[in-house]
């Protein structure tokens, strides 16, 4: 807090989240999913509006609300943005459900210019060189953004609001074998991740031989157009994989 009441009044007069009585007119469906957005909404102390904000966070993280009463109870009691951010990072709220397989991709509802900026940001912050994006993912801004955003998210961890927001241009998408654009999405799911160096490295980081086996089988089938004839040899390779997909 400031040093005096006078200083406090000065801070409040200039605060973006303080408005004249009757003039605090904003739409919780449009507020940014950021700490500033939360602070602006929290000042109103309206559970119904907070629940809209919280549901947007859950959906951004690839989740769905399954218990409306649970959502309302959380919205009525939440006092920090960290608690809201943890919803997407922990993915364990009892009143929501989250897909087990997911990745960060470009939001198809976002403006292409915003997606381009998200792509540039991800490329600037990831250890991956975006000049090496696979040729099949360079045809449009969405596919190349999917690749860069999913790689960056895989490197940084599972906090959607820290590593997959980009001012609304990114979101967490549930993945299945029928999902579109899988060739340009890197994830921790061995059945769907891109069959590229980055997809391979995402499996290496898991240190899970069973998942590496699944990935290797896909490489054998889809890249080499062959079949695995010895499961023991496959298991040994998966337990001690080479350094790169090329190897």
């Amino acid at each position: 807090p400031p040093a005096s009441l006078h200083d406090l009044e000065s801070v409040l007069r200039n605060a973006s989240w303080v408005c004249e009585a009757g003039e605090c007119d904003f739409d919780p469906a449009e507020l940014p999913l950021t700490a500033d957005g939360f602070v602006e909404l929290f000042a109103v102390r309206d559970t119904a509006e907070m629940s809209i904000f919280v549901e947007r966070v859950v959906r951004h993280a690839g989740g769905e609300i399954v218990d409306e009463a649970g959502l309302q109870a959380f919205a009525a009691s939440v006092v920090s943005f960290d608690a809201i951010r943890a919803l997407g990072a922990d993915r364990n709220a009892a009143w929501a459900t989250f897909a087990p397989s997911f990745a960060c991709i470009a939001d198809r509802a976002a403006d292409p210019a915003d997606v381009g900026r998200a792509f540039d940001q991800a490329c600037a912050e990831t250890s991956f060189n975006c000049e090496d994006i696979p040729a099949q993912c360079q045809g449009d801004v969405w596919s190349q953004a999917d690749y860069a955003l999913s790689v960056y998210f895989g490197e940084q961890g599972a906090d959607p609001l820290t590593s997959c927001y980009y001012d609304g241009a990114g979101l967490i998408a549930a993945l299945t074998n029928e999902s579109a654009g899988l060739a340009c999405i890197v994830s921790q799911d061995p059945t769907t991740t891109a069959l590229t160096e980055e997809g391979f490295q995402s499996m290496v980081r898991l240190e899970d031989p069973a998942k590496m086996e699944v990935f290797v089988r896909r490489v054998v089938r889809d890249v080499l157009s062959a079949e695995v004839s010895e499961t023991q040899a496959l298991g040994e390779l998966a337990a001690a994989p080479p350094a790169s997909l090329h190897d």
Side-chain angles (χ1 to χ4, degrees):
S4 68
L5 178 61
H6 176 75
D7 291 342
L8 173 62
E9 291 174 351
S10 178
V11 169
L12 293 176
R13 286 192 185 95
N14 294 296
S16 62
W17 45 271
V18 175
C19 51
E20 297 293 334
E23 295 184 3
C24 289
D25 185 17
F26 55 82
D27 185 352
E30 299 295 334
L31 285 174
L33 299 180
T34 61
D36 287 344
F38 171 79
V39 167
E40 186 172 348
L41 184 57
F42 184 73
V44 179
R45 303 298 179 97
D46 186 305
T47 298
E49 295 196 339
M50 182 62 75
S51 68
I52 294 173
F53 186 87
V54 172
E55 182 171 1
R56 289 177 58 215
V57 171
V58 170
R59 291 187 180 280
H60 172 77
E64 297 287 340
I65 305 301
V66 294
D67 179 1
E68 186 66 29
L71 167 63
Q72 295 293 329
F74 178 87
S77 62
V78 66
V79 295
S80 73
F81 183 66
D82 284 344
I84 288 182
R85 186 167 54 198
L87 293 172
D90 297 339
R91 307 175 72 82
N92 60 5
W95 40 269
T97 183
F98 296 88
S101 177
F102 57 94
C104 178
I105 67 171
D107 187 348
R108 268 46 181 179
D111 185 277
D114 293 334
V115 173
R117 282 188 286 271
F119 171 77
D120 291 341
Q121 180 182 340
C123 289
E125 297 179 0
T126 182
S127 60
F128 168 66
N129 184 347
C130 284
E131 292 184 359
D132 296 331
I133 287 179
Q136 68 267 25
C137 304
Q138 296 183 19
D140 60 82
V141 66
W142 309 103
S143 295
Q144 69 176 11
D146 285 348
Y147 201 86
L149 270 59
S150 62
V151 168
Y152 178 72
F153 182 72
E155 291 177 347
Q156 296 300 310
D159 183 352
L161 292 181
T162 299
S163 306
C164 185
Y165 185 55
Y166 303 100
D167 296 325
L171 57 76
I172 299 297
L175 301 178
T176 70
N177 288 325
E178 289 74 41
S179 297
L182 289 176
C184 299
I185 299 174
V186 174
S187 73
Q188 294 183 346
D189 185 342
T191 69
T192 63
T193 192
L195 297 178
T196 62
E197 180 62 35
E198 290 66 46
F200 173 70
Q201 294 302 329
S202 73
M203 295 297 101
V204 172
R205 286 193 293 269
L206 292 178
E207 298 183 344
D208 186 329
K211 290 187 176 181
M212 181 61 77
E213 277 196 32
V214 174
F215 181 86
V216 173
R217 282 186 181 276
R218 290 179 59 216
V219 172
V220 170
R221 182 192 67 207
D222 299 340
V223 178
L224 303 180
S225 299
E227 296 180 356
V228 174
S229 60
E230 296 184 21
T231 56
Q232 181 177 346
L234 170 63
E236 292 173 354
L237 177 65
S244 71
L245 181 64
H246 177 74
D247 294 337

